[in-house]
């Protein structure tokens, strides 16, 4: 879907560029006519340099060079109609116009090459997103799910925020996390944790055992001498906050282990309740410095309830006066239905609060408990997706 959207944008840009070419060509025609009819002491030829300069701002080098050549030809026509091509004033105007046209054509070439590189980067980012951060199915087991990822960087599709879901024989497991840091190292750490979760979520019977396995995976990567950020001076600064959830099919409950992550929010009957655990674990990668035993805590999760998972990029988004985004308050006033509607509302409201862009990546996952008949249908429909 992403590649088709990019090609559609390219077609629209091509059509738009050819329409805009009429502007410099019209400028050339107007300057030529007016300069030809103007008194001898009036010279409008220098205005012709604007035509190739304008074209270079939106068109490629071929179109820019063509418009420059038309401008030079127009200047030559004006010279012959007013005096002659050997007239010193017109000769210098033509030479200057040729030099400027060549220069702006070269600039157009550089801009076009840069745009191609950006397009390739978008394609690579799109492919990386599909591999690292796979889209969650809309229905899985007894749950209906919606997810969204808002990248802080305009050209980036993924970063250090992560989420995933896995179907087990007894229920559904989910993870949401946030890697400390940015750039390729953060993406690598996110891919490492997601890979470990997808590989082990089906195999580890107990949630604490699964989280302990994830902790060992993250810690072993940090101590690997060849791993990025494995220097001892950086070791204590690299970690991943995460919340790991288990939703059994046969009980109206939610098992949570929170490793330094913002608490999930439970929506029930118009009320919003933070799922604060009594014994939070340290972030993954820090158990060497903070001794902790992973223990799951249980919360009621009934049919019709929605649990909202999110990263700190959501609650740390600021408005123009520096006020943090009041997530719980905004969720409380929401009156829609379903996870998709909730995330659509929150995305629009969050971006409006932050002035249209975020300083940090933000991810959200909304999970709704379904009734038994709906969950059995969802399990059949989406078992192949996992």
């Amino acid at each position: 879907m992403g590649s088709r959207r990019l090609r559609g944008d390219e077609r629209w840009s091509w059509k738009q560029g050819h329409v805009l070419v009429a502007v410099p060509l019209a400028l050339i025609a107007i300057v030529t006519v007016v300069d030809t009819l103007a008194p001898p002491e009036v010279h409008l030829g220098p205005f012709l340099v604007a035509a190739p300069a304008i074209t270079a701002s939106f068109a490629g080098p071929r179109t820019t060079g063509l418009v420059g050549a038309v401008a030079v030809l127009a200047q030559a026509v004006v010279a012959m109609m007013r005096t002659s091509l050997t007239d010193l004033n017109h000769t210098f105007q033509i030479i200057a116009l040729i030099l400027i046209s060549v220069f702006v054509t070269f600039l157009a070439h550089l801009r076009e090459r840069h745009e191609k590189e950006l397009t390739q980067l978008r394609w690579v980012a799109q492919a990386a997103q599909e591999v690292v951060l796979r889209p969650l199915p809309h229905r899985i087991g007894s749950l209906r799910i919606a997810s969204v990822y808002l990248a802080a960087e305009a050209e980036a599709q993924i970063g250090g925020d992560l989420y995933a879901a896995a179907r087990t024989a007894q229920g559904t497991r989910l993870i949401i996390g946030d890697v400390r840091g940015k750039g390729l190292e953060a993406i690598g750490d996110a891919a490492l944790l997601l890979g470990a979760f997808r590989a082990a979520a089906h195999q580890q019977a107990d949630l604490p055992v699964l989280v302990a396995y994830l902790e060992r995976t993250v810690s072993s990567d940090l101590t690997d001498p060849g791993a990025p950020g494995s220097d001892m001076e950086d070791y204590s600064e690299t970690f991943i906050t995460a919340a790991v959830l288990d939703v059994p099919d046969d009980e109206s409950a939610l098992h949570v282990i929170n490793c330094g992550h913002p608490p999930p929010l439970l929506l029930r009957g118009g009320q919003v309740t933070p799922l604060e655990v009594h014994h939070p674990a340290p972030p993954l990668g820090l158990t060497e410095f903070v001794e902790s035993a992973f223990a799951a805590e249980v919360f009621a999760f009934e049919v019709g309830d929605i649990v909202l998972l999110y990263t700190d990029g959501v609650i740390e988004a600021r408005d123009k006066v520096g006020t943090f985004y009041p997530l719980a308050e905004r969720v409380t006033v929401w009156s829609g239905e379903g996870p998709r509607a909730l995330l659509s509302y929150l995305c629009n409201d969050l971006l409006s609060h932050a002035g249209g862009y975020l300083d940090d990546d933000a991810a959200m996952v909304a999970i709704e408990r379904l009734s038994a008949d709906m969950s059995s249908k969802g399990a059949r429909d989406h078992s192949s997706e996992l």
Side-chain angles (χ1 to χ4, degrees):
M1 181 178 64
S3 61
R4 287 196 297 269
R5 183 174 62 251
L6 288 174
R7 294 190 184 101
D9 293 341
E10 289 176 351
R11 286 194 295 269
W12 165 249
S13 178
W14 183 87
K15 293 178 180 179
Q16 188 181 38
H18 280 66
V19 171
L20 291 176
V21 169
V23 175
L25 293 178
L27 175 63
I28 293 174
I30 293 172
V31 171
T32 301
V33 173
V34 175
D35 197 17
T36 302
L37 301 178
E41 64 274 10
V42 177
H43 297 279
L44 300 180
F47 286 101
L48 290 174
V49 299
I54 292 174
T55 307
S57 66
F58 62 84
R62 292 184 179 180
T63 304
T64 302
L66 177 61
V67 171
V70 173
V72 171
L73 178 62
Q75 182 64 64
V77 171
V78 171
M80 289 186 294
M81 296 187 66
R82 297 194 60 171
T83 55
S84 68
L85 285 174
T86 58
D87 177 78
L88 186 61
N89 179 44
H90 288 104
T91 299
F92 276 107
Q93 289 185 32
I94 293 175
I95 294 175
L97 184 55
I98 293 174
L99 294 177
I100 293 176
S101 298
V102 171
F103 178 70
V104 296
T105 299
F106 177 71
L107 293 181
H109 166 71
L110 295 179
R111 180 185 55 77
E112 185 179 64
R113 186 173 67 178
H114 179 64
E115 289 179 350
K116 289 181 179 179
E117 292 174 352
L118 289 179
T119 300
Q120 292 176 348
L121 288 176
R122 293 190 188 101
W123 287 344
V124 171
Q126 181 72 24
Q129 183 183 37
E130 294 176 356
V131 172
V132 177
L133 197 65
R134 303 172 189 170
L136 300 181
H138 301 310
R139 293 278 296 276
I140 171 174
S142 59
L143 307 176
R144 180 160 54 187
I145 302 176
S147 59
V148 65
Y149 193 106
L150 300 175
E153 298 293 336
E155 300 301 333
Q157 300 294 322
I158 56 176
D161 290 8
L162 58 97
Y163 51 75
R167 183 74 178 143
T168 68
Q170 293 78 30
T172 304
R173 286 177 172 173
L174 302 104
I175 185 174
I176 188 167
D178 186 0
V179 180
R180 186 192 184 280
K182 298 181 179 180
L184 293 178
E185 290 185 9
I187 297 175
D189 291 337
L192 173 73
L193 180 58
L194 287 172
F197 174 81
R198 290 168 181 146
H202 310 275
Q203 303 173 6
Q204 307 297 342
D206 297 327
L207 194 62
V209 177
L210 170 62
V211 178
Y213 172 80
L214 299 178
E215 162 60 30
R216 290 194 301 271
T217 301
V218 173
S219 297
S220 62
D221 182 69
L222 295 178
T223 56
D224 182 358
S230 59
D231 296 341
M232 291 306 296
E233 60 183 20
D234 298 330
Y235 177 45
S236 61
E237 299 180 357
T238 303
F239 56 85
I240 304 174
T241 67
V244 186
L245 292 76
D246 193 357
V247 186
D249 290 336
D250 57 356
E251 59 178 307
S252 298
L254 180 70
H255 300 254
V256 179
I257 295 181
N258 195 322
C259 303
H261 201 75
L265 299 179
L266 174 66
L267 288 71
R268 176 186 296 157
Q271 300 295 319
V272 178
T273 304
L275 300 183
E276 298 275 5
V277 298
H278 294 91
H279 303 287
L284 301 177
L286 292 184
T287 54
E288 178 179 335
F289 305 96
V290 181
E291 291 294 335
S292 176
F294 299 110
E297 300 192 27
V298 182
F299 300 90
F301 188 34
E302 302 172 355
V303 174
D305 290 351
I306 295 180
V307 169
L308 176 65
L309 311 177
Y310 55 94
T311 58
D312 58 8
V314 177
I315 56 177
E316 293 180 358
R318 299 173 182 262
D319 61 11
K320 59 183 179 182
V321 297
T323 304
F324 288 116
Y325 181 68
L327 177 61
E329 296 179 12
R330 300 301 174 87
V331 173
T332 302
V333 301
W334 175 67
S335 58
E337 294 184 1
R340 282 192 184 182
L342 174 61
L343 293 192
S344 178
Y345 159 76
L346 288 177
C347 285
N348 293 331
D349 192 57
L350 176 63
L351 292 175
S352 176
H353 174 87
Y357 64 92
L358 301 175
D359 294 327
D360 192 12
D361 293 350
M364 290 182 284
V365 178
I367 311 160
E368 181 184 15
R369 165 76 82 173
L370 301 173
S371 60
D373 56 341
M374 295 181 65
S375 64
S376 61
K377 180 180 183 299
R380 292 193 303 269
D381 292 344
H382 295 277
S383 59
S384 60
E385 296 184 27
L386 299 175

